[in-house]
Amino acid sequence: MEQFSEMLPALPEIILAVSGMVLLMAGVFGPRKRAVGLVTNMTLAAFIVALALIAVVSGGSATAFGDMFITDQFAIFMKVMILAGSFFAVVMSGDYMKNEGIARFEFPILILFATVGMMMMVSANNLLALYLGLELQSLSLYVIAAFHRDSLRSSEAGLKYFVLGALSSGMLLYGMSIIYGYTGALEFDALAAAFGEGASAGVVIGLVFMIAGMAFKVSAVPFHMWTPDVYEGAPTPVTAFFSVAPKIAGFALFLRVMLDPFGALVSEWQTIIVVIAVASMAVGSLAAIAQRNIKRLMAYSSIGHVGFALIGLAAGSLAGVRGVLIYLAIYLVMNIGAFAVILSMRRHGDMLESIDDLAGLSKNNPKMWAVMTAFMLSLAGIPWFAGFFGKFYVFMSAIEVELYTLAILGVLASVISAFYYLRIVKIMYFDEAAEPFDRPAGKSLRVIMWGSAALVTFFIVYPAPLVNSAGVAAAALFAG
Amino acid sequence: MEAAIVFLPLLGAFVAGFFGRFIGDRGAQYFACTLLIFSGVLSWIVFFDVAVMGNVAGKIDLGTWMRVGGFDFEWMLRVDQLTAVMLIVVTTISAVVHVYSIGYMHHDPHTPRFFAYLSLFTFFMLMLVTADNLIQMFLGWEGVGLCSYLLIGFWYDRPSANAAAIKAFVVNRVGDFGFALGIFGIFVLFDTVRFDEIFAAVPGQADATITFLSWELPAITTVCLLLFVGAMGKSAQLFLHTWLPDAMEGPTPVSALIHAATMVTAGVFMVVRMSPIFEYSETALAVVTIVGAATAFVAATIGLTQNDIKRVIAYSTCSQLGYMFFAVGVSAYSAAMFHLTTHAFFKALLFLGAGAVIHAMSDEQDMRKMGGIRKMVPVTHAYMWIGSLSLAGIGIPGTMIGFAGFNSKDMILEAAFGAHSWVGYIAFGAGIAAAIMTAFYSWRLIFMTFYGQPRCDERTLAHVHESPKVMLIPLAVLAAGSIVAGMIGYNAFVGGGMDAFWGDSILVLEGHDSIEAAHHVPTWVKWLPIGMALGGVGLAWLMYIGRPGMAAAWAKALRPLYLLSYNKWYFDELYDLIFVRPAFYLGRNLWKNGDGAIIDGVGPDGIAAFTQRLSKRVSALQSGYVYHYAFAMLIGVVVFVTGYLFVQAG
């Protein structure tokens, strides 16, 4: 029993992992016809149970598995977002998968396993635990990227992701081994203690390799190259999933690693993060202008947003981390909403992916036009929509630590990116109306659309819950 | 009651303008007309009360307008004798024109808009004349300018109307700039914009100077000249007169109301209102006299040869305004106001009569295509005779008996002579010369329009008809005024009752009293104008009825002079060359090269194009090959490591 109580902090992960394996059995040996529906619903239920457990377990910080695993306010905040992202990704996938003829029970289970991996990443307190979670997540993601196995593009996307992902994992491992070589430690606490009085150049080189690996996961420039291809090739619900949950998990990892074990080396790595942030914002903003495919556009958009969020990390301060957390939460909501609209772009049963297909949406479907406009304005960071506040907090944190150039470049990139978001609004409103989309969009999609539209629109009315909890979560990272 | 006079037209404009579509064309017309007639009746009551009975009501405070430090003034209606005179002139003419317009604009699809503008104009004009401070006057001043612009361009689908509207507005802007500077100057000098306070302070500031750049300028003269620039613009005095003839593009009732009877006289009114300041600057008065005399002369010469019936009357207006100004210049303010009043009647009559002719001739305005229609439009014919007789100033010298224009114009000429100054004599000479020309072009107009053989085509001729009663009856009011206004008003305006009538509203310094001197000029001075007028009439008869070939022969013999007159002294061409073209050239250059090429090209467009090029480049990096991607990642790591080591080493 004693051992059990020791594992208690990891209970949500354990439950998810176990239910994943049980559902796999159920899917294989259960009734053929109802397998997909059953497994999907059970997966959603598992997410909800995990969410509830996290809420119950919340409070204070605790470790498990001999300090390999840590749960604190930061981890809880991140896990809630990850679970929400995964939950909605599964919900949104239903109709699409059926329509494309790829509705298989493995899909929700793979997302489930990926989610477990992400939660492990968030709670990692040791370089090995980190790697373990990362790989569990990555392997699942490689598979679901290629989930439409009869589609050339989907397979290509999966393969590319896999090859490049393997490369990045290699870099990450290489970096870890260098660091282990210099310090002889894998535990975060030990590492942090080791760097108390500075570190040798070798350690920083190892850190650069680790940064490369982690930057790959959040698709920051120049480790972003896979993103547009994979986003475009993967089935749309998978893209939606990729654009939120793994990003959040990657950021959680990034933040914890950079600020916990390597927190003392801020001055060493700050410039690197600044360069990555600026490059990400620039590429995200510029390349998106040339895109006609909305999924590809969303890929560059997400690269740009990663750049904005990295400003908070570059600040390296409590306010910076809080800014990142607020940014990610808002980004999660608006991206989920935008993808709900994209998933409703269906004409004569075929999915549409060109932004020109949105032409005349304001006339054909004014409601959908309204929510999409809210998402685009929010993504562009136009007040009063939520996206503005996300940017506001990270820019503020950069200014507080006197990273003025970074803040100014961020604002400029934001201006450039406003162009392609507003162009979508323009296409929807001013361009000659095309044929209307099939109606109605799925019920769950509509609920998600309206819910997230309401959140991004009315965030300004009551921002306190998010801002406060982000503040608490950020503080947890600086407690040690 | 005074407030009702001013604001009833505003209500009319508001209702006709915004609710015209609900109450219909007729509703809008009748509503606006009724309110204006009401306003007119009230004006007459106020006039009798103030000017005849001598109950100067003083001022009606409508509340504070602005209070910014020392810049402090109210919305205040000032009703003194000067205002009372202007009130009856404005509201009476406006009411007449409103009613006339019901008939004249009968076929127009936008009558509510027309009536809204007309009433709005009346409101602003009343605001101008009742102003108690310079800012309120400026509000009315600009308001009438705006309405003038709107009404000249009323038929906005005609390019010529739009061009004329813009021209009127721009030329007026030059004058308004002067006016505004004058107001600034007064505020600097007196630290107030309220009339009473200014007037009280003028004597103390008579020798003050204003330093502009490095020049010491006599303050009062400078301010007066600046104000006069404003008056020149609004009243179409020489150099700023070019807009007035073009303004005839507007509907004829507009020409009558705004560009003959009321708005263009605002400049005269303003100078008269500011007489307590002008009196202290000999220089300014001399300038006013010279400009007025020159305008009277030049405009009259141009009027001789114009063929457009409305343009003839427009130049006539210009010329008559010149008379008023040189009267002001020799301190004969009351004579100027007298002429302003009588002129309002006979000039409105002439314009509306011309409108009736144009109406009868199926919108033909060229007198060369008229002729011989007096039998078909007898009433209009009679009106035009009355108007012309009044304009030419026909009457019996030495008595008050004569048409309205006779009393007022001769008074002006006598005052100019009586001033016994060199500018006065110049003005007198110019006025006499203009008088003969006035008579000539007036009868030239009558003879070409109503006499001789018809020169229009058959269809037009068949359509020639007398105007409806709704147009003819209002003209009767004006015709009556054109005949008797001079005789009735003579005593009060410029005669023995003058001082009692005007009270304190006009200031004439000791030694400037040219009106008094006018009563004692030699007899030949009194007889000369009428002789000139009759000579002009006779000459016109000779050239257009007696010996029809004569006009062409004279035009040939005096070709350079004829061309000078016919081409309006080439003012338009000159301005085109000096101002318009360079301005366009500069504008085009700044637009194409300055804004387009440099600011847009380097600024928004350049950045946008640069961003787009960059965007292409960046997305071209996305080759689709995995080994490129992997290469990018490795290069990234290498760059970071190298960079770090480089910084470390450095």
Side-chain angles (χ1 to χ4, degrees):
Chain A
M1 279 317 279
E2 205 153 288
Q3 272 175 330
F4 181 75
S5 71
E6 218 174 54
M7 292 195 290
L8 208 53
L11 192 58
E13 284 81 355
I14 293 168
I15 297 225
L16 278 184
V18 169
S19 40
M21 285 179 267
V22 170
L23 286 174
L24 204 52
M25 294 302 130
V28 174
F29 298 109
R32 281 259 144 189
K33 280 183 185 160
R34 286 166 42 227
V36 180
L38 184 77
V39 172
T40 306
N41 290 336
M42 292 307 291
T43 309
L44 294 176
F47 284 145
I48 290 171
V49 170
L51 207 57
L53 280 174
I54 288 171
V56 170
V57 173
S58 74
S61 122
T63 55
F65 305 116
D67 278 358
M68 293 281 262
F69 184 96
I70 183 167
T71 169
D72 52 12
Q73 291 294 339
F74 176 78
I76 290 166
F77 187 89
M78 286 304 198
K79 283 178 191 171
V80 169
M81 286 204 287
I82 290 166
L83 281 169
S86 302
F87 180 86
F88 287 117
V90 172
V91 170
M92 290 201 295
S93 68
D95 287 343
Y96 180 93
M97 296 312 226
K98 244 176 262 162
N99 200 51
E100 298 287 303
I102 48 172
R104 294 185 220 291
F105 71 89
E106 289 90 343
F107 181 73
I109 295 175
L110 283 167
I111 288 191
L112 189 64
F113 281 130
T115 308
V116 175
M118 293 178 213
M119 291 168 74
M120 300 266 293
M121 284 157 69
V122 172
S123 282
N125 199 27
N126 182 301
L127 290 178
L128 282 180
L130 179 161
Y131 187 74
L132 201 66
L134 192 72
E135 281 306 287
L136 177 55
Q137 174 230 30
S138 298
L139 287 169
S140 312
L141 295 186
Y142 301 149
V143 178
I144 56 173
F147 201 75
H148 199 327
R149 62 185 184 197
D150 299 329
S151 154
L152 210 55
R153 286 199 308 169
S154 181
S155 319
E156 182 190 330
L159 200 61
K160 272 183 183 168
Y161 193 22
F162 174 66
V163 172
L164 296 171
L167 179 63
S168 81
S169 291
M171 288 190 195
L172 188 70
L173 272 179
Y174 186 58
M176 287 180 189
S177 62
I178 290 176
I179 286 163
Y180 181 71
Y182 273 91
T183 60
L186 290 169
E187 303 84 14
F188 286 0
D189 298 341
L191 286 169
F195 301 136
E197 56 278 354
S200 64
V203 170
V204 179
I205 291 172
L207 182 59
V208 169
F209 276 93
M210 282 191 69
I211 288 174
M214 292 184 290
F216 177 87
K217 294 298 171 201
V218 297
S219 65
V221 177
F223 312 102
H224 68 291
M225 305 291 271
W226 61 276
T227 321
D229 291 4
V230 172
Y231 273 40
E232 189 185 353
T236 313
V238 174
T239 311
F241 178 61
F242 277 14
S243 76
V244 286
K247 278 234 152 98
I248 290 166
F251 256 103
L253 188 65
F254 220 151
L255 289 171
R256 194 188 283 283
V257 170
M258 299 312 283
L259 295 171
D260 193 359
F262 297 99
L265 304 181
V266 174
S267 56
E268 312 285 334
W269 54 256
Q270 191 173 48
T271 317
I272 296 172
I273 299 296
V274 168
V275 171
I276 290 178
V278 170
S280 301
M281 292 187 295
V283 169
S285 302
L286 289 171
I289 292 174
Q291 306 309 322
R292 306 309 295 182
N293 179 298
I294 192 146
K295 281 160 75 181
R296 217 172 161 80
L297 184 133
M298 289 305 283
Y300 282 109
S301 157
S302 80
I303 293 171
H305 282 290
V306 164
F308 291 122
L310 281 175
I311 290 178
L313 175 58
S317 61
L318 180 65
V321 175
R322 190 186 62 157
V324 176
L325 298 187
I326 294 171
Y327 199 102
L328 289 174
I330 291 168
Y331 171 80
L332 166 76
V333 174
M334 54 198 187
N335 240 33
I336 288 278
F339 270 102
V341 174
I342 293 169
L343 280 166
S344 312
M345 291 169 59
R346 185 193 296 275
R347 198 173 284 148
H348 306 311
D350 294 329
M351 289 305 297
L352 302 173
E353 294 185 353
S354 166
I355 61 172
D356 295 317
D357 292 320
L358 285 163
L361 192 63
S362 65
K363 291 175 197 74
N364 293 335
N365 194 341
K367 286 181 190 166
M368 201 193 278
W369 168 74
V371 294
M372 189 63 166
T373 302
F375 297 137
M376 288 301 133
L377 294 179
S378 183
L379 283 166
I382 289 168
W384 71 97
F385 293 97
F388 165 74
F389 294 95
K391 285 185 179 148
F392 174 77
Y393 283 111
V394 292
F395 289 155
M396 273 309 287
S397 69
I399 286 173
E400 275 167 20
V401 297
E402 297 178 353
L403 288 172
Y404 299 120
T405 320
L406 181 61
I408 290 168
L409 288 173
V411 172
L412 286 180
S414 179
V415 169
I416 297 173
S417 69
F419 170 78
Y420 56 82
Y421 296 124
L422 292 179
R423 185 175 61 186
I424 292 179
V425 175
K426 173 244 166 198
I427 287 171
M428 293 192 296
Y429 194 79
F430 291 105
D431 282 12
E432 202 60 39
E435 264 184 87
F437 295 143
D438 293 352
R439 294 171 81 171
K443 192 176 175 187
S444 49
L445 284 181
R446 267 182 294 151
V447 171
I448 291 171
M449 256 185 244
W450 283 104
S452 24
L455 285 177
V456 298
T457 310
F458 298 113
F459 173 76
I460 185 169
V461 180
Y462 192 46
L466 177 60
V467 175
N468 291 343
S469 51
V472 173
L477 210 52
F478 285 86
Chain B
M1 186 156 67
E2 289 81 358
I5 295 172
V6 176
F7 288 102
L8 282 179
L10 180 64
L11 177 65
F14 184 77
V15 171
F18 291 108
F19 302 102
R21 64 177 62 186
F22 301 113
I23 58 178
D25 287 6
R26 304 220 129 225
Q29 288 169 3
Y30 290 144
F31 190 77
C33 287
T34 311
L35 289 184
L36 247 154
I37 291 170
F38 201 56
S39 170
V41 170
L42 290 177
S43 298
W44 279 96
I45 295 173
V46 168
F47 175 74
F48 277 109
D49 193 40
V50 172
V52 180
M53 309 305 288
N55 301 325
V56 179
K59 304 168 183 182
I60 294 99
D61 193 344
L62 301 177
T64 303
W65 183 357
M66 234 179 259
R67 186 160 291 165
V68 185
F71 194 55
D72 169 19
F73 52 92
E74 303 76 33
W75 288 104
M76 183 93 87
L77 300 183
R78 178 193 182 95
V79 185
D80 57 7
Q81 295 88 339
L82 191 58
T83 300
V85 170
M86 288 306 286
L87 281 183
I88 55 164
V89 171
V90 172
T91 54
T92 306
I93 307 288
S94 180
V96 166
V97 168
H98 267 78
V99 176
Y100 177 92
S101 300
I102 294 179
Y104 192 86
M105 300 301 283
H106 185 64
H107 302 297
D108 198 278
H110 301 296
T111 34
R113 181 161 65 91
F114 182 76
F115 277 82
Y117 289 167
L118 221 48
S119 286
L120 186 67
F121 164 79
T122 312
F123 163 71
F124 278 123
M125 191 68 205
L126 292 169
M127 206 66 186
L128 195 165
V129 301
T130 56
D132 186 48
N133 57 60
L134 282 165
I135 308 298
Q136 202 175 327
M137 187 184 239
F138 193 68
L139 173 84
W141 190 270
E142 293 296 302
V144 292
L146 166 72
C147 293
S148 162
Y149 165 80
L150 290 173
L151 283 164
I152 296 170
F154 180 73
W155 288 313
Y156 53 78
D157 47 357
R158 296 185 188 169
S160 61
N162 287 327
I166 291 168
K167 186 173 177 183
F169 205 72
V170 171
V171 174
N172 265 295
R173 212 102 310 269
V174 177
D176 294 348
F177 187 58
F179 190 16
L181 287 178
I183 295 174
F184 302 159
I186 283 178
F187 186 68
V188 167
L189 214 52
F190 302 108
D191 206 26
T192 178
V193 290
R194 296 196 191 93
F195 287 147
D196 289 337
E197 295 172 11
I198 298 170
F199 298 160
V202 173
Q205 296 279 3
D207 299 320
T209 55
I210 283 183
T211 310
F212 177 70
L213 301 182
S214 58
W215 297 309
E216 286 276 305
L217 301 172
I220 297 285
T221 301
T222 309
V223 164
C224 286
L225 288 177
L226 287 171
L227 292 177
F228 181 57
V229 169
M232 283 169 70
K234 197 62 74 193
S235 294
Q237 291 302 288
L238 203 57
F239 304 115
L240 294 180
H241 69 287
T242 53
W243 65 272
L244 185 59
D246 286 14
M248 299 303 136
E249 285 291 341
T252 306
V254 172
S255 310
L257 176 63
I258 301 183
H259 305 119
T262 55
M263 184 188 84
V264 290
T265 61
V268 180
F269 167 78
M270 189 258 273
V271 177
V272 174
R273 169 64 86 204
M274 305 308 281
S275 63
I277 304 184
F278 276 81
E279 276 298 287
Y280 284 88
S281 173
E282 297 286 343
T283 320
L285 286 176
V287 170
V288 173
T289 314
I290 298 291
V291 170
T295 308
F297 180 79
V298 171
T301 61
I302 298 172
L304 295 175
T305 55
Q306 299 305 308
N307 289 319
D308 183 312
I309 186 166
K310 284 178 72 182
R311 276 179 186 259
V312 173
I313 308 178
Y315 278 106
S316 161
T317 306
C318 220
S319 172
Q320 297 300 313
L321 290 166
Y323 275 95
M324 296 176 210
F325 272 109
F326 75 67
V328 166
V330 297
S331 296
Y333 302 102
S334 51
M337 287 306 294
F338 191 25
H339 196 51
L340 187 158
T341 310
T342 58
H343 174 260
F345 283 100
F346 64 71
K347 192 49 66 64
L349 176 65
L350 282 171
F351 260 120
L352 296 182
V357 170
I358 293 166
H359 202 67
M361 299 296 293
S362 313
D363 293 335
E364 180 58 61
Q365 301 198 7
D366 191 335
M367 294 192 295
R368 287 170 298 189
K369 295 181 186 161
M370 297 178 180
I373 58 166
R374 68 179 178 283
K375 294 273 166 48
M376 286 165 260
V377 288
V379 183
T380 308
H381 176 227
Y383 284 149
M384 291 301 277
W385 264 93
I386 293 171
S388 297
L389 285 168
S390 192
L391 170 61
I394 305 296
I396 304 169
T399 68
M400 284 167 24
I401 300 164
F403 288 89
F406 161 73
N407 281 305
S408 56
K409 191 156 88 176
D410 282 15
M411 192 65 227
I412 288 177
L413 289 168
E414 288 158 19
F417 186 85
H420 295 301
S421 60
W422 62 274
V423 287
Y425 291 130
I426 290 176
F428 178 73
I432 292 293
I436 184 170
M437 291 188 277
T438 306
F440 176 82
Y441 63 65
S442 298
W443 268 269
R444 174 175 174 265
L445 185 153
I446 288 184
F447 292 143
M448 283 182 83
T449 309
F450 295 103
Y451 294 82
Q453 294 301 315
R455 292 181 294 275
C456 54
D457 56 43
E458 296 285 312
R459 269 187 56 206
T460 314
L461 195 64
H463 272 103
V464 173
H465 58 283
E466 191 61 273
S467 302
K469 286 207 173 60
V470 71
M471 289 166 70
L472 292 179
I473 290 172
L475 292 188
V477 176
L478 298 176
S482 304
I483 297 171
V484 301
M487 292 183 267
I488 294 175
Y490 184 84
N491 190 45
F493 275 72
V494 292
M498 190 174 94
D499 294 336
F501 180 77
W502 291 111
D504 298 331
S505 61
I506 292 176
L507 176 77
V508 180
L509 286 187
E510 207 72 34
H512 280 191
D513 198 350
S514 53
I515 299 279
E516 185 52 35
H519 292 303
H520 308 294
V521 292
T523 315
W524 67 269
V525 173
K526 290 183 189 281
W527 280 90
L528 191 59
I530 181 73
M532 284 294 166
L534 291 175
V537 176
L539 192 62
W541 183 84
L542 203 61
M543 285 173 94
Y544 292 94
I545 305 285
R547 299 177 58 187
M550 199 175 154
W554 277 42
K556 207 164 184 183
L558 302 171
R559 188 158 177 79
L561 287 179
Y562 173 77
L563 283 180
L564 184 66
S565 162
Y566 186 73
N567 290 310
K568 308 158 231 168
W569 289 51
Y570 296 100
F571 269 110
D572 281 332
E573 287 73 8
L574 206 62
Y575 284 179
D576 193 51
L577 201 67
I578 301 175
F579 300 116
V580 181
R581 273 169 205 277
F584 267 112
Y585 176 76
L586 188 69
R588 197 173 298 276
N589 240 319
L590 286 177
W591 166 39
K592 288 281 186 197
N593 301 329
D595 188 51
I598 297 174
I599 296 179
D600 276 358
V602 177
D605 287 356
I607 291 174
F610 176 72
T611 309
Q612 231 153 12
R613 271 205 307 280
L614 217 57
S615 159
K616 293 247 163 57
R617 292 266 173 84
V618 172
S619 48
L621 289 177
Q622 206 69 33
S623 59
Y625 295 115
V626 173
Y627 59 90
H628 284 170
Y629 297 178
F631 181 71
M633 290 167 67
L634 291 173
I635 286 292
V637 172
V638 169
V639 166
F640 286 133
V641 170
T642 317
Y644 171 73
L645 290 178
F646 192 73
V647 173
Q648 279 292 91

